[in-house]
Amino acid sequence: MQTDVAIIGAGPAGLAAAAELGRLGAGRVVVIERDAVPGGIPRHCGHSPFGMREFRRIMGGSAYAARLAHEARAAGAEILCSMSATALFDGPLLELSGPEGRFMLDARCVLLATGTRESSRIQRMIGGTKPGGVMPTGALQGIVHLNHQIPFRRPVILGTELVSFSALLTCRQAGARPAAMIEAGPAILARAPAALLPRVMGVPVHLDTRIAAIHGRDRVAGVTLDTPRGMTDLDCDGVVLTGAFRSEAALLAAAGAPRDAGTSGPVIDSFGRCFAPGYFAAGNLLRPVETAGACWAEGKRAARAIHAFLGGALPDPASAHPVQIASDAIRYALPQLLLAPGPGSHDQLQLRVSRPVRGMLQLRQGETILASRHINARPERRVMLPLPAHALNGPLILTIEDST
């Protein structure tokens, strides 16, 4: 099987890229999706708002996902559902597995848009027994919105990222009232409007607290909390593990591709190119985690870069300059390799901090400050730094003059 562009992942980034590539006349576009229905994470979300940036209207998650798939198909893309990419090879060449067996897909270009996932209980090192009723947000939303079931009545929600409040809304829609939200840090991570939701719903928020153990035999019966005042038990019938996202990078790991320790995703240049010629990456595979709208915009950007690549209009990736992080307050920054701007290039450096920080963020080239801005940021909040609109040369240093 042959195609001009293969896209792995039919979430907002992959579907937006497919629609834009069709508009640009990039040839045959095939989207590979392991689920039975395209749409990615928004398909599991019964709440709004989605679609304001993309379609100038407020939409629920499932309607938004269906609209993205419709736009991609209308632009000529083929969406192959219940199909998994199992290996990446130079070429680019993909090994696929689906209902009709295993076969190879030869492409001129591949966009990796496999997204992200929440950290598991094991990765969070939570002790205790292993009863039913412990799940990430995605599983909760699938059970409630796709299966129309109620998995519990009185869960605890671990985390206070934006997705944690999505889990809170899903619980409300299912008729469940969480016993508490648990946050290991000293403050809620999501921005202020979201933080009002637990107060309105009457859900207590425990800061500087972690779940030390989960109890129960067949079903969750309670948790032990490690709080500033010591250990305490809390009755509940479920645990929702939210946030602490990790890039869905198993394909990259198997291919031996370079990955960024801070993002867990691929190392990319300004045009989204990654480990081998013809491979690009976009969406939440790049970092954990951005909104559906941000991923949609990034998919469109990636499509423009891919179209330029197919026409031989991108600069040599070997001329890129690495960004060196010179502050322990910066968890990661991407793109990790910068070139002069061009078709579909990232126009901003995206980063996250590892702790609350206030100060001056600077991108330097020697003694020259290429870009700077004041920041007052917390972990898991988006920080953007506009990139210079001219050619770069020499080592690039990213640092924060911390005034916290």
Side-chain angles (χ1 to χ4, degrees):
M1 185 175 174
Q2 293 183 327
T3 189
D4 291 294
V5 183
I7 298 173
I8 305 177
L15 292 174
E20 184 72 0
L21 285 164
R23 187 187 70 79
L24 293 170
R28 186 185 185 196
V29 178
V30 174
V31 184
I32 297 125
E33 172 54 49
R34 65 185 178 186
D35 286 347
V37 180
I41 289 175
R43 187 172 66 86
H44 299 259
C45 300
H47 59 77
S48 60
F50 290 91
M52 280 297 293
R53 178 190 302 195
E54 305 88 324
F55 307 120
R56 302 293 188 269
R57 57 181 295 190
I58 295 176
M59 309 172 73
S62 58
Y64 171 76
R67 176 70 179 271
L68 291 175
H70 170 77
E71 295 284 328
R73 288 189 174 112
E78 303 168 57
I79 303 176
L80 305 182
C81 292
S82 301
M83 183 75 66
S84 296
T86 52
L88 311 176
F89 301 99
D90 289 346
L93 185 65
L94 307 179
E95 181 183 74
L96 304 181
S97 179
E100 298 179 1
R102 186 166 294 183
F103 62 96
M104 307 302 290
L105 177 62
D106 188 0
R108 296 174 62 197
C109 183
V110 173
L111 175 63
L112 303 172
T114 49
T116 187
R117 57 184 170 82
E118 291 164 300
S119 294
S120 68
R121 174 182 175 175
I122 293 174
Q123 290 166 330
R124 298 170 194 252
M125 302 181 68
I126 299 174
T129 58
K130 297 181 179 179
V134 181
M135 63 190 68
T137 310
L140 168 65
Q141 292 173 330
I143 290 170
V144 173
H145 298 305
L146 301 182
N147 297 347
H148 307 292
Q149 297 173 322
I150 302 174
F152 33 57
R153 293 290 182 181
R154 190 83 172 144
V156 295
I157 295 175
L158 177 59
T160 59
E161 297 177 43
L162 188 60
V163 70
S164 312
F165 297 92
S166 178
L168 197 58
L169 285 172
T170 301
C171 286
R172 185 180 69 173
Q173 291 165 339
R177 182 175 178 181
M181 294 186 78
I182 310 299
E183 169 54 48
I188 289 174
L189 294 177
R191 295 188 184 276
L196 296 174
L197 184 59
R199 185 183 305 175
V200 171
M201 292 179 60
V203 176
V205 178
H206 300 295
L207 302 176
D208 290 316
T209 299
R210 68 180 189 90
I211 297 178
I214 299 172
H215 307 297
R217 185 173 179 179
D218 297 323
R219 301 288 303 174
V220 172
V223 295
T224 297
L225 302 180
D226 184 355
T227 78
R229 296 171 298 281
M231 297 291 187
T232 185
D233 291 332
L234 177 66
D235 292 337
C236 61
D237 63 354
V239 178
V240 186
L241 306 172
T242 73
F245 284 95
R246 303 170 66 86
S247 297
E248 192 66 83
L251 280 171
L252 289 166
R259 293 164 61 194
D260 186 299
T263 66
S264 73
V267 173
I268 62 166
D269 70 9
S270 299
F271 298 91
R273 292 177 291 191
C274 50
F275 73 105
Y279 281 95
F280 290 70
N284 280 332
L285 170 65
L286 297 182
R287 98 299 274 156
V289 62
E290 283 288 359
T291 62
C295 291
W296 173 87
E298 196 165 82
K300 288 175 69 69
R301 182 211 57 75
R304 294 190 293 272
I306 288 169
H307 184 250
F309 168 81
L310 294 174
L314 291 190
D316 182 357
S319 62
H321 300 285
V323 176
Q324 301 173 27
I325 296 176
S327 170
D328 64 357
I330 301 174
R331 177 181 162 196
Y332 66 76
L334 66 94
Q336 294 87 354
L337 303 167
L338 296 184
L339 295 124
S345 63
H346 286 260
D347 59 1
Q348 298 190 80
L349 203 62
Q350 307 170 28
L351 62 133
R352 295 287 188 278
V353 297
S354 56
R355 56 178 170 79
V357 62
R358 180 186 296 111
M360 179 67 74
L361 176 67
Q362 295 181 339
L363 179 67
R364 294 179 176 175
Q365 187 175 291
E367 297 300 315
T368 303
I369 298 175
L370 300 176
S372 66
R373 59 162 291 194
H374 287 281
I375 64 167
N376 183 4
R378 294 180 183 175
E380 306 308 332
R381 292 189 179 180
R382 177 192 306 167
V383 180
M384 309 292 277
L385 179 66
L387 289 170
H390 55 74
L392 303 168
N393 136 38
L396 302 170
I397 305 297
L398 183 67
T399 188
I400 296 176
E401 293 186 359
D402 194 350
S403 59
T404 303

